[in-house]
Amino acid sequence: MILSRYERMIARRYLLPGKGEGFIFLVAGISLVAVMLGVAALVIVMSVMNGFRAELFDKIVGLNGHAVVQAYGGQMRDWRQVVGLAETTKGVTSATPLIEQPLMATYNGRVEGVLVRGMRVSDIRSNKTIGSKVVMGSLSSLMPGSGQIAIGSGLADQLGAVVGSQISLISPQGQTTPFGTVPRIVQYTVGAIFTIGVYDFDKAYVVMPMEDAQTLLMLGDSVNMVELQTSDADQVGPILAPLATKVGKMGVIQDWRQMNAQLFEALAVERVAMFTVLSIIILVAVFNILSSLIMLVRAKTRDIAILRTMGASRGGMIRIFMTVGTTIGALGVVAGLILGFIFLYFRQSVVDFVQLVTGQNLWDPSIRFLSELPSKTDPVEVTVIALMALLFSFLATLYPALKAASTDPVQVLRYE
């Protein structure tokens, strides 16, 4: 929309308060603030929800892989063959044998349920989710037969354990006696403590060398599953389809979508619902722009009539008032984006401040899964939000602009 010099001058004049027009300027300012808050709310909420999904995905997939080959009956004796078949499958980047078993852990009279995970030493050290999150001790102490284990920070807090503490793991699969099965109790030394960032994982995981896990659970040379990583998590189904037919007799393949279907589907539904609800805020803000322009047109009726008698066209009047309304919307969008990005940058500080003022725990890791408020801004999503707000603002200018263009100077100036 190209404006002439006089149209730009008049539009700029109408954007600033004139004598006796303070109320109209106030309404226009409120409209700008409303658009700003609506855009900021959308950017903040969508970025936090994207971050929540991304963090959960990274943590869950970082530990459980994109898929697993689950053994029938819980024991896979031919796991080396499965690993070999997986590594030769196009699109599979790694195949890791795993042992996972829920057990009980005790220390100083405290008892907690744990999830024991046995991995090859090389896999433990190369796992970024665990290796980069060690807060105490070192994973280098974990060697087969050393009796060293690594535990989550949440579990360490619940047991009151530190590096060097002697923790006993209790397995129900013990020796059979005439009086029944005697649980197997083995003592291990805490060699490292790690923080994954997912509360449920940090309070339960115990990581040890695979050989020690096989001995503890009396599995011999068996494992429970083989974890698979692929080149594209979103295409895990087609990538693993050829492998599924090859390992069908040894186990069943489950990908991350099947293992966490309810969680990620709930996040997707909530994301769409929040976007829809918060978009209504922008729509309400746009109605403020509409009302302020209608009042501006009524206040400037005499000016419009004079401009029309001086040769201003109807199209010129339409462009002037559309420019005024769209400018208010555009300034609100820019201010909203700035406010949203500032809030996201200081999001954890804001949460901590609100918790300090209210005395309430707004981000309980036991409920929220993650230990900190996450954020991941999608540039495409931000662009869509900005364009949507601009479109709503533009549409709100149509009626006032057409009303101004239809002003009859003869009727207005008849008694002047």
Side-chain angles (χ1 to χ4, degrees):
M1 185 169 57
I2 302 176
L3 277 71
S4 63
R5 183 177 179 182
Y6 91 90
E7 290 171 352
R8 290 196 300 271
M9 179 190 68
I10 296 172
R12 185 167 57 251
R13 174 68 183 81
Y14 285 175
L15 281 169
L16 300 175
K19 185 178 181 181
E21 298 170 355
F23 181 73
I24 297 175
F25 180 74
L26 176 63
V27 174
I30 293 174
S31 304
L32 188 150
V33 172
V35 173
M36 176 189 71
L37 293 178
V39 171
L42 259 178
V43 171
I44 292 169
V45 171
M46 300 310 295
S47 296
V48 168
M49 296 199 69
N50 288 338
F52 194 82
R53 184 187 184 280
E55 283 292 315
L56 273 180
F57 180 82
D58 290 342
K59 305 296 186 185
I60 292 174
V61 170
L63 279 178
N64 300 321
H66 295 164
V68 295
V69 182
Q70 190 74 44
Y72 296 121
Q75 292 192 27
M76 182 182 294
R77 302 187 183 279
D78 299 327
W79 59 269
R80 290 183 178 81
Q81 181 182 353
V82 174
V83 170
L85 291 173
E87 290 176 342
T88 57
T89 301
K90 184 178 180 181
V92 176
T93 57
S94 69
T96 306
L98 291 179
I99 296 173
E100 276 195 356
Q101 183 68 39
L103 299 178
M104 300 297 293
T106 178
Y107 176 71
N108 279 350
R110 300 182 183 181
V111 179
E112 295 291 340
V114 299
L115 184 63
V116 172
R117 165 172 282 218
M119 304 170 64
R120 293 180 298 192
V121 173
S122 58
D123 294 328
I124 294 176
R125 297 176 182 175
S126 63
N127 189 296
K128 296 180 180 179
T129 304
I130 298 175
S132 62
K133 302 293 183 178
V134 176
V135 295
M136 190 179 297
S138 174
L139 295 178
S140 61
S141 62
L142 273 66
M143 296 294 293
S146 65
Q148 300 274 341
I149 59 174
I151 64 175
S153 57
L155 178 61
D157 292 338
Q158 291 175 331
L159 292 175
V162 295
V163 172
S165 298
Q166 302 287 324
I167 292 178
S168 296
L169 296 180
I170 305 172
S171 172
Q173 299 176 355
Q175 294 181 347
T176 303
T177 69
F179 301 99
T181 302
V182 178
R184 184 178 175 82
I185 303 177
V186 181
Q187 196 172 67
Y188 294 93
T189 302
V190 177
I193 298 175
F194 56 86
T195 298
I196 297 172
V198 179
Y199 178 80
D200 287 349
F201 291 168
D202 288 334
K203 74 180 182 68
Y205 265 98
V206 173
V207 178
M208 63 173 60
M210 188 174 71
E211 293 82 357
D212 291 351
Q214 289 172 334
T215 301
L216 172 64
L217 300 173
M218 297 188 296
L219 294 176
D221 192 36
S222 301
V223 300
N224 299 138
M225 66 187 76
V226 174
E227 176 191 281
L228 305 175
Q229 294 280 359
T230 63
S231 56
D232 187 352
D234 293 325
Q235 298 296 322
V236 64
I239 290 175
L240 297 181
L243 179 63
T245 58
K246 298 177 182 178
V247 301
K249 295 182 179 180
M250 292 173 281
V252 60
I253 295 180
Q254 288 186 310
D255 60 43
W256 64 270
R257 292 172 298 190
Q258 296 169 327
M259 293 185 288
N260 306 280
Q262 293 181 339
L263 175 61
F264 286 103
E265 285 179 7
L267 287 176
V269 171
E270 186 177 2
R271 185 168 173 270
V272 173
M274 293 300 295
F275 184 88
T276 304
V277 171
L278 293 175
S279 296
I280 297 176
I281 298 178
I282 297 180
L283 193 59
V284 172
V286 166
F287 277 110
N288 288 333
I289 296 178
L290 175 63
S291 61
S292 65
L293 286 180
I294 291 175
M295 287 190 290
L296 181 63
V297 170
R298 290 181 64 85
K300 300 295 185 180
T301 299
R302 185 172 178 273
D303 293 359
I304 295 170
I306 294 174
L307 289 171
R308 294 281 288 115
T309 59
M310 294 176 63
S313 64
R314 293 179 182 271
M317 292 295 100
I318 291 175
R319 288 192 293 271
I320 289 171
F321 285 94
M322 289 179 67
T323 300
V324 172
T326 305
T327 301
I328 294 174
L331 291 175
V333 169
V334 173
L337 293 177
I338 295 174
L339 177 63
F341 292 144
I342 292 175
F343 184 93
L344 290 173
Y345 185 80
F346 296 103
R347 62 189 183 279
Q348 195 59 43
S349 300
V350 172
V351 172
D352 295 339
F353 175 75
V354 175
Q355 289 182 154
L356 180 64
V357 172
T358 61
Q360 300 293 323
N361 187 1
L362 301 180
W363 194 261
D364 187 353
S366 64
I367 299 174
R368 312 288 184 181
F369 292 103
L370 302 179
S371 56
E372 290 187 353
L373 181 66
S375 173
K376 182 180 180 181
T377 303
D378 184 354
V380 175
E381 205 165 61
V382 172
T383 302
V384 170
I385 293 171
L387 291 178
M388 180 183 68
L390 288 174
L391 177 61
F392 285 170
S393 301
F394 173 78
L395 294 177
T397 65
L398 294 180
Y399 174 75
L402 293 174
K403 189 69 176 176
S406 63
T407 300
D408 187 356
V410 176
Q411 294 294 329
V412 174
L413 301 175
R414 174 178 294 177
Y415 301 105
E416 292 293 327

